[in-house]
Structure formats: structure tokens, C-alpha cells
């Protein structure tokens, strides 16, 4: 008889994607079991989508998940018959894992296979053969240590996963502990943070120690990074998006760990310190040698010290030269941290193969329900364009249309109206265009932070915002990432980087730190109605709606065009 | 024996069985007419298609027996333990209940017999038999063959002569007597043909017999076609064989030996020559099914098939199909559908199309129209019903497209289905071994694989889509297995049970990210509704759609109102509608109709807005339905140019026509009222007729053959068919102007015309 169990929550699709009903008594149990071998793609309100990919299955294999577990899970929770090809594909893919192993044999990095024919096949591949050394035995071939990452990447692209058992360089020992009662009251890792640390660390085994942890903004990624550092207790290099993030890491480390301030070095445009824990910026790593187009002298930092752990903060922003350098340091443990593993360039797979697979993924809404991030109300506020501007917009070149619509002066009126709703809140006004931000800052009589603002001034303003001396802060995209402003509870977005989904998520993240009073966060996007601004806004919202956020939509109606003119002076 | 005798010996319950097997109503059939019905050639052929190979062999053997009768002992001896006694009894009883033979099963006194109509029908049904080869010859020729074979006395009737020849040749001893009496050369030639598989063509015979062959052929042409023989042919060994029907001509043009395509030893002669019977020539037991382990397989999923049928129905309903002139869809349309629904192959759309025709999902719109149209879905039809309807549709389509080579009523698809239901489920078997089994079960319907005959009921795409897994073994041979769960749907048991397939689900899940998910068992009407408001993005189990501004615009363009679009969502959505969906509907709804387009062929333009206002409100002109667009411009909704001119004149105005390229100008012109004429058609002709009637001048513009435009002021005189006869206003030169080349015609005002009259 055809299987049909309407009470079950899962639909297994022929392309190995899985649709999981949220409003189902088996949801939680099923979700927990799927997490072991499937990748959460999106989690909107009612149905979450998972994908069983080759990589997710091989990761599962490396964590000890068996084919039987996968089969039983799918059969137990599926509403309908499993499509004929799905189990065949899964069985085939899982059987590939472990056929090729990398390990150290007599001090040499060695590639080993079960089937000599497979080694023959690899040897005949033009891309792979240059990375193989002489054959030591029929089933073994030596590999140059510098090719470890590239070989793994190339084999993965050929559909041949490598079980990397070669282990890691432990690095120079440097004890790190989390403070139980530190300057800011110490730290106790939350359950999901412990799970994330353990998922990465894997008891220090060779199958752990490299990978990406995906958690929402405000969920404490830095703290998790500190937890991993405590596990590794080794010299650590941390790569950050900018100097503010460097300072924030430094502050957290001093507050929450036993690392003495003098052991923390800053490797940036301003300083070039190398200490047991060194914080560097992506920017300095990719600074070219003067007069040269090709050399990135600061990439040497990867090998100048005996690092036992490298942390990539906001790993989705990893620049290409750092990617390439990462391929050559596969003996070091590598931790990637991000809230949105969405690269607009579509290079998510490179992140997986060079930093490591996704080891942990906490859905935003799950953490919201548990109270670890603030519940957020997202609202799109649509404003009309003044007639003259619409005419200009209509006749504009395509490339200018977004700027015209995004900087629609009517947005100021809407902004004013929104601020009236939040007179006592800490509000971040975020925008893309500096002239627009200048106008807004002037309009609101609020301070402005852009890329031009000196770091010292930025810190001062951030500090003022944290203490409450400043309640409204106008910021450009420099504040998209890694700025910890826990008190901010309202973000108003005036314009963005076109349709960037990760930017939208990061901006929401600015207000998701849980509030002391348990209050909720508000995120507003002001868009010009019936324009390309609205189209981009739709696209920007995609990641968050897929994470389960709902956008309410409001229309803003200015009283009259006269009022607009009055406001604009 | 006679049919009457057979019927008379039947017990009442046996007679009832016979009537049922002959598809006759036991209550209304007159038994006295039964012999005529049973002997009817077409009817008998239909009955014979029910026989399996063993039953048919018994009948054929009996047809070769003298007097169409044999002793029970002879039958048992001939079968020679190849079948058990029980099997023989069952077979004979079955044949008796079909009314094809009668028998008494007693050792020593028992007998078995058939009658003429059966013997004739079975003999002509298949192969190169004596009967089929000799039927085309004249009675005289058959008499000559009887004489050569020492049959005495020569029977009088043609059929009896045929039967007599068959009896001699089917008997091993008598055949060998005939062969012994041949000349040495003829015996040697017979052996030579026999060694070649019993067949020899012209080339082989001419090489073997050299010139003698051509004489023989000449003889055949003349003697066997009634024109006499030449002396040179006498003594030919080939003629000896032909005159005794030991070798017969086989012609593609009926049984005319004179135009034989090749020559062959009849099957009965070959059988008797080897000392065997027809029972030795065929297997009397069913051939075994070959089981295999396939390497490539595809398993049908009935739920997803029904889902995809709903997709093609929606695809057609929403006008997404481009139709050919003959009403069939263009291949590219079906390939587009395949792509949209992420089908495994680009030809999947064709499979769906064929299936959609087998169940009432579409119907023909007729040639040159809009191809096929979608039918309403019967709300009572369950998924199980629809799958059964698909199978029934396949059977019925097979019946309608009755193939050449199958007998009336042979219903090959139904038989395939019957046999599929009997073979073990969930076991992979080769399709060829199944075909061999089919040929055994119904040899008169299904040809033996490899015989070269056309395949019957060979298109199994419906079966592969619904109840059979398809695969291939390592050598590439096709194999299949009956999916037991599918079989349960197709062949419901007598016991009423729960439905096998998931019941229809009419609901969707609408999400804030604007995706809409319809489950795999979505109701066809729910799928149709979804297609009408959203774009399909995935179809790997559940169907995933996305609501976009374009999809809502398309729905509005198809005539739905925003409220109707929203109602569709609310009707199916299992969850409250997200604001993102509501707003996209509202946004598009607000934009919808912001610009309106309508036909306006005639406009009025005035200098004084008061004039237009007066005209628009005039009761006399109300029929024109003038709508004011601007203070000095109005459009006429309800009349063409001449009618407007006439109406205005009757109302006391003096309208003039504007040029064809003129456009209304908000702000006034020098003319009091300007009428814009239509290009071509009545508008143009109307202006000319007006000019003729009022003796006015016109300015005509037309295109010359080389493409240039010419313009003249003319005084029109008349229109003769499509020719305007006119005079040049300047030179007086007569003009015959082809109206089909005229681009525009405008009336000259009195002032403009003045200079021409001067």
C-alpha cells in the first residue's frame, strides 16, 4: 500500500530537499534528527526547507552518522513515499566518504585509498596529479603539506570527499580560560553556545577543528569564539572586518577571559603587533605592497607565528586573497563565524572547503523563542515620491534610478514620524548614501558615523550611545558588522547596498541583542513606493523572511506637498 | 460433425457457459440461431483469439485429421505425455465450452471432433499452411493435385479437395509414399529446399536449376494460372513438387503462384516429413518469465503523476500552450512545461499530454481553433479513480486504434493488463519473456517475439507511468516489475477498503517569503488556481510556487480582479495571509487600470469649447456617444466617420474632414470641426462618395508600385469596384486609381478648392 501518513511533518523531495512542517507535533524531534545530516536552507514561518547535499552527508559521516540513521529518520517522519532515487543517491554519496584518507605516515602527509584503481583515476586527473608526490605503496601517495587544502578542495569538486585525519599543528601553547566572575560579571556559556563549541571542537579530534558556525546576530558569536579559544589554549590569530570589531574582540577578551591585555596584539593599519592572541583586519591582510599589483605582504602573518587556531569573524566577507592563503594553512585549526552564510558572489562552497564545513546552525527564530535574541518587529514603510522627483526618476538612466529613489526626500518625513513613535528608544538610522546621511544627521541633529569618521571619534560615539548620552545615531555601512551596541532597539534603514540580503540581516542584527527589560526590537525599512527601491527591498528581505521574520507593511502619506517643501526648506 | 450436434450434446449449464463465452445474452439468445452465429467467420475469429497456444494446437491438429475427427486414443498417443491427463481434459473441456470441438474421453471408444468452420478459421490464421497456399488456386488445379497424390475419388467440393490434400500431407506415412514416388531429381530438390529451412527464392532456384528454372516458372505462370504448359517444362523436378503441393508459391499478391515472391514447403509437410505432429512444433506449456536484476530503474509514483497531470491541465487552461493549426500542441510548448515543472526529461511533457488525453482532462477544440481545452474536474473523482481511469483510457485508446494484424475484438491492451495482474508483483522480468508469454496465452493476438510481425500493444508509457517500474539489465534489455502497491490501485480488491492513494488536498501553505507550497496530493483545481496567481519554481514532490508582482499582473490581465485574486489565496491558504502577499496584490491591483486603452477612430476638434459642449449634449447627436477629452477635443465612441459627418450635417453643423495624418491638438486649429477619417475601408470610401455626391475636390495620397507616395488633388467621378475614376483638378487628366493603394483621402475646404476652380 502506498505510504501516506498525514500526521507526519516531512515531505522528502526528489532533489533531496526536505520540507518540514513547523506546526506539527513531530517538528522538534524531526528537526533535531535532520540537523545531523541535512542543511537548513530556510526557515520561514510555516515550512522549513532542508537540503541533503553531498557535503552535508559527508559531514554527517565524519561525525559518525550512519546510513541507517538517515534512512530511519526519513522513513519515520515522511508523509509520503520516499522518491525512488533519494535513498539510492544518499547511499551512494555516503559510501564515498572514507574511501580517500589523508593522514601522517612516518611524518609525511599521505593520501590513502582502499581501491588502487581510484588512486590511478586520481593520478590521471590533470588538476589533481600535480599535487601528488611519489607513490609509496599501491594504495598510498605522498602529498606536499602546502597542497593539503588545495588537494582537498579539488577532490571535493570532483565528488571525492577526503577524510582528513592528518590532524593539526597544535601551535604554541597559550592557556586561555573563560572567567567565571570577570570584570563584567564573568561568563556562562548558554546551551547552544556550548553545543556550537563542541560541534566545532569535536573533542579535539582530527575530524573537528575546522568549520563554520552560523548564528544570528546578537547570539554571541564572539563568546563562542572565546569558548573555542579556551578549548584550544594556543596562539590564536583572529581576522576581523574592521578596526571597531578588533577593539570589540579585545574588549570582550579582557572582560571574559583570563587573557592579559598585554598578550593581545593588534595588527592593523595603525599598529603591527604580533602577540599570542593577535587581532588583524581583513583590510590590512589584503593591503598590497606599494608599487606592486600582486603581492600581499601581510599574508605572511599566517605563517610568521606558530598559530594553533585562526578565527575568521564574519567569514562570509572573506576576501579572495585570504581565501587563497587559507588553502595553504590547513594544518591550523580554522573557525569561521557568521550570521548569514550568504555570499552575494555565490562562493559559499569555497568557504566550506577551505575554512571547513558548517558545523552548527541555530535558526534565528529558535533563539528568539528561547529569549537569547530580542524579538523583532520588521516593518517596511512605503513613501511616495514627489511628483517632480518621479519625473526625474522616470527619465533617469537605470543605474541612477536606485540612488534617486533611495534618497527620496519624503523619507525624511517618514523618518520623523517613526522617531515620534520611539521618543525614548535608542535609534540607529542606517543608510548608504553619504549626502543623504548628512541631511538626515542635520535634520535629526544627531551625530553621524561614516568611513571617514576617525576611529577614536567612532569609539567615543559608540560609547556615548551605549551609555545613553546619545539616543540617535546616524551610521553608514561601516556599522553593518560587528558593532556591539546592545542598547540599540530601533534600526531605521533608509537605503542599502541594492538588494543585499546579508546586509539586511546584519542591520537587523544591530538591534537583536536581548534587552535588559525583555523589550522587543524594531526594524524599519523606508522605501520609495513603486520604484526600484521597493524591488531591492523585496530582495533584501528575502533572507530574513526565510528565517521566519514577517514584514509588516505601512504606507506613509505626507500631509501635502506643501508640507514636504516646508520640511525641505 | 455439425455444430447442431455439438450444441445438442451440451448440458444446460454448459450451454449457458458457451453463451457467456460468446458474449451472448443467455436470456435473449435464440438457441436455434446459435449455429449460424458460431459459424460466422468474424465471430469465430473473435472466439479463437481467446485460445492459448496449446488449445490452438489441439484444434489445428484436429483440423488435419481426416473427417475433422480422431479417436481418443490417437489424440492421447500424439500428445504423448507432454500434457497430463487432467490438463488434456481441462483443455478439451474449455474448447468444448467455447463450442470449438466435442469429445468423449474413453479409452478404446472415445473420440474428439470439430467442424468445418473451425478448421478453416484456424488454418488460415497464421503461417504458410497448405490451406493458405492452396486457397487461391482454382478447383481444377486442386483436382489435378489430388490426382497426382492418388486421392481417389477426387472430392467434388473445393473445400473437400483442400482437406483431402492436407490429410495426405499431414500423415507421415502417406507423405513418404508420395516422396518415394517422385523422380530422383525431384526428391533431391525437395531435400535441398528442406535443408534451406523449407524456403527458396528465385535467385537460389535459378542458380540450382539453371535454365530449367525459367521453363518451370513459365510453366507455373501458364499452368497454374490456366494458360497451359510448355513442353520444355515437362520433366522438371520443380514442376513435380509444385504439382503435388509439396512446394507451394507464396505471393504478396494473394495466393497466386504465378506471381510468387518465393517458394516454400508448407508447414504441415515439414511436420509430417520429420515424423512429428503439430504438437512437436510448438511448446505446449507456458514459457517461463526470465527474472533479472536491473541496473537502471525508474519507479512510478502515482501521486506525483497526478500532480503533474494537474500541472499540464493548468498549463493548458491558462493559455500557456501554443497550438499548431491541426489543434495539437507545439513541441516547444510541452518542452517549456517540462522545464517549468523540473521534469527529468524534456519529453516528459509529451507523456503528460498523451495521458491527459486518456482521461477527461482536456477535450478537442477543433481544427484551427484554440486546440484543446480544459474540462472541469469531476469533484467525485478520487486519486485512485483517476489512476484507474488512466489505465482504462490506455485500454480504450488501444481498442479505438485497432491495429492491423489483430482480429476484431482482440483487445490486446486489456489482455496485457490481465496477464500483468497474474505475474508475480515486485519481481523484475524481461519484457521479451513477457512478450513470449503473451504470445503463448493469445497466439492469434500477439506475435511471437522475433517473428518479424508488428508489435501489438507495445506502447507501455501509460503503464510505466502508473503501475510498472521500468529498467534494463546489463545488456540493455528492457525489464519491468509490477509495483504491488500500484497494482492495488489499478486492480481494487472486492473488499471495500480505504483508498490506496492520499486523498486530494485543496489547501496551500502561504509563507511570508511569498512562497506557496502545494502538497504532492494537491487537488487539480487547487493546482489550477495556484498557476493562475503564482509562478512555479520547484516541483520535486510538493509544488512550490512564488507570488511575484508579475504573477499577480498576469492574473489581473487574465481578467481577475484584485479581490478575486485575494479570494483565491484565502480559499486555499491553510494559514493567515502574510502581509507581503496582501500587499503585492494590492500594489498590483492599484496599478491595474491606471492607464486605459480603447479604440477611438474618430475625433472631433473645435476652436470654441462651447461648440463641442453643445454637440456633446445635443439630444440629436446623443447616439454618437461623444466623450469630451479636452475642452476642444472629443472622441466619438459609437459611429464611423461618414456617419458622424452625416449626423453633424443633419444637426446643422458644417464639419470637414481632417487629413489622415492629422492628430487632435488641444488648443484649436483653423477648422471649426475636424473629422479624422479612418484609413481604408468604409471611412475612405465614404469620404470619396461624399465628394462625388457634393461635387467636391479631394486630396488623395497613394503609394506607387516602387514604394513612393504620390499625392494629387482630384475631382472624383465614380468608384467602379476597387477603382476610383477621377480627374486631376489641375490638368484635367483622367485618373484610374486603385483604391487598395490609397493611403488617405481628405476633402478640400471650399477655400482650398477655390484656386482649382479658378
Amino acid at each position: 500500500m502506498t505510504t501516506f501518513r498525514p500526521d507526519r511533518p516531512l515531505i522528502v523531495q526528489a532533489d533531496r530537499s526536505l520540507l518540514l512542517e513547523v506546526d506539527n507535533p513531530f517538528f522538534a524531534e524531526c528537526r533535531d534528527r535532520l540537523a545531523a545530516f541535512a542543511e537548513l536552507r530556510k526557515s520561514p514561518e510555516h515550512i522549513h526547507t532542508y537540503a541533503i547535499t553531498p557535503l552535508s552527508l559527508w559531514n554527517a559521516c565524519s561525525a559518525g552518522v550512519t546510513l541507517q540513521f538517515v534512512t530511519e529518520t526519513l522513513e519515520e517522519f515522511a508523509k509520503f513515499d520516499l522518491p525512488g532515487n533519494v535513498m539510492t543517491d544518499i547511499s551512494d554519496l555516503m559510501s564515498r566518504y572514507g574511501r580517500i584518507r589523508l593522514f601522517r605516515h612516518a611524518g609525511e602527509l599521505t593520501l590513502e585509498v582502499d581501491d588502487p584503481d581510484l588512486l590511478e583515476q586520481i593520478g590521471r586527473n590533470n588538476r589533481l596529479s600535480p599535487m601528488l608526490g611519489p607513490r609509496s605503496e599501491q594504495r598510498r601517495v605522498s602529498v606536499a603539506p602546502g597542497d593539503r587544502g588545495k588537494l582537498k578542495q579539488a577532490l571535493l569538486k570532483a565528488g571525492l570527499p577526503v577524510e582528513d585525519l592528518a590532524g593539526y599543528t597544535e601551535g604554541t601553547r597559550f592557556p586561555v580560560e573563560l572567567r567565571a566572575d570577570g570584570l563584567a560579571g564573568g561568563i556562562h556559556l548558554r546551551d547552544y553556545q556550548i553545543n556550537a563549541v563542541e560541534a566545532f571542537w569535536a573533542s579535539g579530534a582530527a575530524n573537528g577543528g575546522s568549520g563554520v558556525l552560523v548564528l544570528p546576530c546578537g547570539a554571541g558569536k564572539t563568546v563562542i569564539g572565546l569558548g573555542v579559544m579556551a578549548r584550544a589554549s594556543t596562539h590564536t590569530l583572529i581576522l576581523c572586518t574592521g578596526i571597531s570589531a578588533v577593539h570589540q574582540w579585545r574588549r570582550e577578551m579582557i572582560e571574559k577571559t583570563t587573557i592579559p591585555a598585554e598578550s593581545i596584539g593588534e595588527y592593523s593599519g595603525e599598529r603591527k603587533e604580533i602577540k599570542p592572541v593577535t587581532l588583524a583586519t581583513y583590510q590590512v591582510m589584503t593591503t598590497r605592497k606599494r608599487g606592486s599589483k600582486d603581492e600581499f605582504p601581510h599574508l605572511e602573518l599566517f605563517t610568521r607565528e606558530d598559530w594553533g587556531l585562526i578565527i575568521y569573524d564574519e567569514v562570509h566577507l572573506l576576501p579572495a586573497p585570504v581565501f587563497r592563503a587559507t588553502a595553504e594553512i590547513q594544518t591550523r585549526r580554522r573557525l569561521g563565524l557568521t550570521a548569514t552564510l550568504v555570499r552575494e558572489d555565490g562562493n559559499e562552497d569555497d568557504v566550506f572547503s577551505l575554512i571547513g564545513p558548517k558545523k552548527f546552525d541555530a535558526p534565528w527564530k529558535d533563539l528568539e523563542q528561547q529569549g537569547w535574541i530580542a524579538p523583532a518587529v520588521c516593518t517596511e514603510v512605503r513613501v511616495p515620491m514627489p511628483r517632480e522627483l518621479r519625473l526625474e526618476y522616470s527619465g533617469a538612466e537605470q543605474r541612477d534610478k536606485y540612488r534617486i529613489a533611495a534618497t527620496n526626500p519624503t523619507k525624511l518625513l517618514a523618518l520623523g514620524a517613526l522617531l515620534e513613535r520611539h521618543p525614548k528608544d535608542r535609534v540607529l538610522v542606517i543608510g548608504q548614501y553619504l549626502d543623504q546621511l548628512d541631511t538626515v544627521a542635520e535634520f535629526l541633529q544627531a551625530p553621524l558615523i561614516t568611513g571617514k569618521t576617525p576611529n577614536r571619534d567612532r569609539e567615543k560615539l559608540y560609547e556615548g550611545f551605549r551609555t545613553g548620552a546619545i539616543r540617535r545615531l546616524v551610521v553608514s555601512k561601516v556599522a553593518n558588522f560587528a558593532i556591539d551596541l546592545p542598547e540599540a532597539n530601533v534600526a531605521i534603514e533608509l537605503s542599502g547596498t541594492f538588494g543585499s540580503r546579508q546586509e539586511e540581516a546584519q542591520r537587523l542584527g544591530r538591534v537583536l541583542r536581548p534587552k535588559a527589560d525583555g523589550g522587543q526590537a524594531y526594524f524599519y525599512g523606508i522605501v520609495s513606493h513603486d520604484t526600484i527601491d521597493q524591488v531591492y527591498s523585496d530582495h533584501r528581505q528575502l533572507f530574513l523572511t526565510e528565517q521566519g521574520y514577517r514584514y509588516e507593511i505601512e504606507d506613509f502619506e505626507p500631509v501635502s506637498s506643501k508640507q514636504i517643501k516646508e520640511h525641505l526648506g | 460433425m455439425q455444430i447442431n450436434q455439438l450444441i445438442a450434446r451440451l448440458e444446460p449449464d454448459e450451454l449457458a457457459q458457451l453463451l457467456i463465452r460468446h458474449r451472448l445474452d443467455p436470456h435473449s439468445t435464440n438457441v436455434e440461431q446459435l449455429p449460424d452465429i458460431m459459424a460466422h467467420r468474424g465471430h469465430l475469429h473473435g472466439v479463437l483469439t481467446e485460445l492459448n497456444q496449446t488449445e490452438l494446437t489441439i484444434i489445428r491438429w484436429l483440423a488435419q485429421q481426416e473427417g475433422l475427427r480422431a479417436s481418443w486414443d490417437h489424440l492421447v498417443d500424439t500428445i504423448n505425455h507432454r500434457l497430463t491427463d487432467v490438463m488434456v481434459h481441462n483443455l478439451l473441456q474449455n474448447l468444448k465450452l467455447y463450442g470449438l470441438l466435442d469429445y468423449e474421453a474413453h479409452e478404446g471408444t472415445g473420440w474428439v471432433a470439430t467442424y468445418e468452420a473451425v478448421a478453416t478459421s484456424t488454418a488460415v490464421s497464421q503461417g504458410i499452411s497448405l490451406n493458405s497456399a492452396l486457397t487461391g488456386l482454382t478447383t481444377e488445379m486442386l483436382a489435378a493435385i489430388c490426382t497426382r497424390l492418388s486421392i481417389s475419388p477426387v472430392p467434388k467440393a473445393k473445400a473437400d479437395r483442400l482437406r483431402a490434400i492436407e490429410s495426405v500431407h499431414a500423415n507421415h506415412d502417406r507423405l513418404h509414399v508420395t516422396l518415394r514416388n517422385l523422380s530422383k531429381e525431384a526428391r533431391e530438390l525437395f531435400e535441398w529446399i528442406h535443408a534451406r529451412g523449407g524456403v527458396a527464392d528465385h535467385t537460389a532456384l535459378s542458380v540450382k536449376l539453371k535454365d530449367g528454372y525459367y521453363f518451370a516458372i513459365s510453366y507455373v505462370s501458364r499452368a497454374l494460372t490456366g494458360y497451359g504448359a510448355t513442353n520444355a517444362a515437362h520433366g522438371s523436378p520443380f514442376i513435380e513438387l509444385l504439382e503435388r503441393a509439396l512446394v507451394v508459391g507464396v505471393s504478396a499478391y494473394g495466393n497466386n503462384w504465378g506471381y510468387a515472391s518465393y517458394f516454400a514447403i508448407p508447414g504441415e509437410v515439414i511436420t509430417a516429413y520429420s515424423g512429428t505432429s503439430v504438437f512437436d512444433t510448438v511448446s505446449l506449456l507456458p514459457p517461463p518469465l526470465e527474472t533479472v536484476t536491473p541496473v537502471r530503474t525508474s519507479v512510478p509514483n502515482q501521486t506525483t503523476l497526478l500532480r503533474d497531470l494537474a500541472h499540464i491541465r493548468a498549463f493548458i487552461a491558462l493559455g500557456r500552450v501554443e497550438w499548431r493549426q491541426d489543434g495539437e500542441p507545439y513541441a516547444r510548448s510541452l518542452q517549456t512545461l517540462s522545464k517549468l515543472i523540473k521534469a527529468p526529461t524534456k519529453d516528459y511533457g509529451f507523456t503528460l499530454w498523451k495521458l491527459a488525453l486518456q482521461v477527461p482532462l482536456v477535450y478537442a477544440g477543433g481544427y484551427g481553433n484554440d486546440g484543446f481545452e480544459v474540462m472541469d474536474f469531476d469533484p467525485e473523482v478520487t486519486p485512485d479513480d483517476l489512476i484507474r481511469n488512466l489505465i482504462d483510457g490506455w485500454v480504450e485508446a488501444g481498442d479505438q486504434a485497432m491495429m492491423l494484424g489483430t482480429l476484431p475484438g482482440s483487445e490486446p491492451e486489456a489482455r496485457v493488463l490481465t496477464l500483468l495482474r497474474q505475474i508475480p508483483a515486485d519481481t523484475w522480468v524481461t519484457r521479451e519473456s513477457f512478450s513470449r508469454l503473451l504470445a503463448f496465452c493469445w497466439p492469434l493476438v500477439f506475435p511471437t517475439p522475433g517473428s518479424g510481425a508488428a508489435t501489438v500493444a507495445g506502447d507501455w508509457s501509460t503503464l510505466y507511468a502508473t503501475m510498472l517500474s521500468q529498467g534494463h539489465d546489463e545488456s540493455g534489455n528492457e525489464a519491468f516489475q509490477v509495483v504491488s502497491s500500484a497494482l492495488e490501485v489499478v486492480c481494487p480488491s472486492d473488499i471495500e477498503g480505504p483508498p490506496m492513494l492520499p486523498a486530494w488536498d485543496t489547501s496551500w501553505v502561504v509563507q511570508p517569503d511569498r512562497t506557496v507550497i502545494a502538497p504532492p496530493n494537491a487537488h487539480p483545481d487547487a493546482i489550477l488556481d495556484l498557476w493562475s496567481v503564482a509562478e512555479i519554481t520547484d516541483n520535486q514532490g510538493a509544488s512550490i510556487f512564488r507570488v511575484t508582482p508579475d504573477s499577480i499582473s498576469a492574473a489581473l490581465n487574465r481578467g481577475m480582479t484584485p479581490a478575486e485574486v485575494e479570494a483565491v489565496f484565502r480559499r486555499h491558504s491553510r494559514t493567515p495571509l502574510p502581509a507581503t502577499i496582501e500587499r503585492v496584490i494590492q500594489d498590483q491591483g492599484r496599478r491595474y487600470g491606471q492607464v486605459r486603452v480603447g479604440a477611438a477612430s474618430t475625433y472631433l476638434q473645435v476652436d470654441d469649447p462651447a461648440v463641442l459642449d453643445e454637440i456633446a449634449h445635443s439630444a440629436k447627436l446623443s447616439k454618437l456617444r461623444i466623450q469630451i477629452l479636452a475642452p476642444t477635443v472629443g472622441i466619438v465612441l459609437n459611429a464611423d466617420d461618414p456617419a458622424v459627418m452625416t449626423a453633424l450635417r443633419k444637426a446643422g453643423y458644417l464639419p470637414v474632414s481632417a487629413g489622415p495624418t492629422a492628430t487632435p491638438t488641444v488648443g484649436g486649429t483653423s477648422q471649426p470641426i475636424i473629422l479624422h477619417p479612418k484609413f481604408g475601408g468604409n471611412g475612405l470610401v465614404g469620404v470619396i462618395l461624399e465628394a462625388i455626391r457634393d461635387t467636391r475636390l479631394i486630396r488623395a495620397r497613394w503609394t506607387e508600385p516602387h514604394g513612393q507616395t504620390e499625392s494629387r488633388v482630384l475631382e472624383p467621378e465614380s468608384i467602379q469596384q476597387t477603382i476610383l475614376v477621377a480627374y486631376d483638378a489641375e490638368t484635367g487628366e483622367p485618373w484610374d486609381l486603385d483604391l487598395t493603394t490609397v493611403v488617405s483621402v481628405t476633402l478640400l475646404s471650399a477655400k482650398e478648392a477655390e484656386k482649382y476652380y479658378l
Side-chain angles (χ1 to χ4, degrees), chain B residues 370-614:
Chain B
D370 292 333
F372 285 70
E373 291 176 30
V374 163
M375 292 186 78
D376 287 341
F377 194 80
D378 182 348
E380 300 294 321
V381 170
T382 67
D384 285 14
D385 292 338
L386 192 49
I387 289 291
R388 281 194 283 274
N389 291 349
L390 278 167
I391 303 286
D392 291 346
W394 177 69
V395 170
E396 283 167 20
D399 284 351
Q400 285 162 13
M402 185 55 68
M403 295 169 204
L404 292 173
T406 56
L407 297 170
S410 60
E411 298 160 350
E413 281 79 7
R415 290 170 202 266
V416 168
L417 205 57
T418 302
L419 195 56
L420 284 173
R421 286 168 180 163
Q422 292 170 13
I423 68 171
D426 299 325
T427 303
W428 285 96
V429 297
T430 63
R431 177 140 176 206
E432 188 179 336
S433 68
F434 182 78
S435 297
R436 280 199 296 272
L437 186 57
L438 273 175
F440 175 86
C441 292
W442 297 288
L444 294 183
V445 179
F446 298 98
T448 308
S451 66
T455 309
V456 177
D459 181 3
W460 280 17
S461 51
T462 302
L463 301 180
Y464 286 138
T466 50
M467 60 179 284
L468 301 182
S469 295
Q470 188 179 18
H472 292 85
D473 66 13
E474 285 182 344
S475 310
N477 298 316
E478 192 176 342
F480 70 88
Q481 72 168 354
V482 180
V483 180
S484 56
S485 57
L487 200 62
E488 287 176 58
V489 178
V490 177
C491 318
S493 64
D494 296 336
I495 305 162
E496 195 73 20
M500 297 293 161
L501 293 175
W504 301 122
D505 188 341
T506 57
S507 67
W508 313 328
V509 175
V510 185
Q511 310 220 83
D513 66 351
R514 290 189 190 160
T515 54
V516 184
I517 299 174
N521 55 331
H523 190 282
D525 285 345
I527 290 278
L528 178 60
D529 281 347
L530 197 40
W531 272 84
S532 68
V533 293
E535 293 167 2
I536 189 164
T537 61
D538 206 357
N539 189 46
Q540 297 294 323
S543 301
I544 303 177
F545 286 70
R546 185 174 288 280
V547 182
T548 66
D550 285 348
S551 73
I552 300 299
S553 299
L556 299 174
N557 285 333
R558 275 192 295 273
M560 294 175 83
T561 64
E564 284 168 344
V565 173
E566 195 168 323
V568 167
F569 280 103
R570 293 200 186 283
R571 188 162 63 240
H572 293 290
S573 181
R574 212 186 291 170
T575 49
L577 269 196
T580 41
I581 301 283
E582 286 176 333
R583 287 311 295 254
V584 75
I585 298 170
Q586 287 168 17
D587 281 351
Q588 296 308 110
R590 195 169 53 243
R591 296 176 62 170
Y592 187 71
Q594 275 184 342
V595 178
R596 293 182 180 80
V597 177
S601 61
T602 305
Y603 68 84
L604 304 176
Q605 187 161 13
V606 298
D607 287 340
D608 181 358
V611 175
L612 183 59
D613 197 41
E614 183 182 278

Side-chain angles (χ1 to χ4, degrees), chain A residues 452-497:
Chain A
K452 291 178 190 167
T453 313
N455 282 325
R456 192 165 300 170
D457 294 352
R458 287 189 209 182
E459 291 298 331
K460 202 180 286 179
L461 289 171
Y462 286 142
E463 192 56 32
F465 192 81
R466 283 189 199 104
T467 60
I470 299 171
R471 304 194 81 83
R472 292 170 184 175
L473 198 54
V474 182
V475 291
S476 73
K477 62 192 293 181
V478 295
N480 279 357
F481 309 104
I483 302 304
D484 190 19
L485 299 169
E487 296 75 13
N489 65 335
V490 179
I492 302 175
E493 180 183 55
L494 293 172
S495 51
T497 311

Side-chain angles (χ1 to χ4, degrees), chain A residues 1-4 11-17 19 21 23 42 44-49 79-84 382 529-530 534 538 541-542 545-546 548-555, chain B residues 299 301-303 485 488-489 498-503 509-515 517 519-521 538-544 546 549 574-580 583 587 590-591:
Chain A
M1 181 169 172
T2 305
T3 310
F4 177 51
I11 296 176
V12 181
Q13 311 249 84
D15 62 352
R16 301 196 303 272
S17 60
L19 304 176
E21 284 180 0
D23 305 320
K42 57 180 186 174
E45 204 171 353
H46 305 296
I47 292 187
H48 293 184
T49 303
K79 261 184 207 296
F80 298 90
D81 283 335
L82 302 186
R382 296 179 177 175
H529 204 172
D530 284 344
Q534 189 180 321
D538 278 352
Q541 292 167 12
L542 199 57
T545 53
E546 287 179 353
Y549 285 92
R550 268 177 173 261
Y551 273 79
E552 299 302 326
I553 298 166
E554 288 183 19
D555 285 315
Chain B
V299 184
N301 183 322
Q302 297 164 326
T303 302
S485 57
E488 287 176 58
V489 178
M500 297 293 161
L501 293 175
V509 175
V510 185
Q511 310 220 83
D513 66 351
R514 290 189 190 160
T515 54
I517 299 174
N521 55 331
D538 206 357
N539 189 46
Q540 297 294 323
S543 301
I544 303 177
R546 185 174 288 280
R574 212 186 291 170
T575 49
L577 269 196
T580 41
R583 287 311 295 254
D587 281 351
R590 195 169 53 243
R591 296 176 62 170

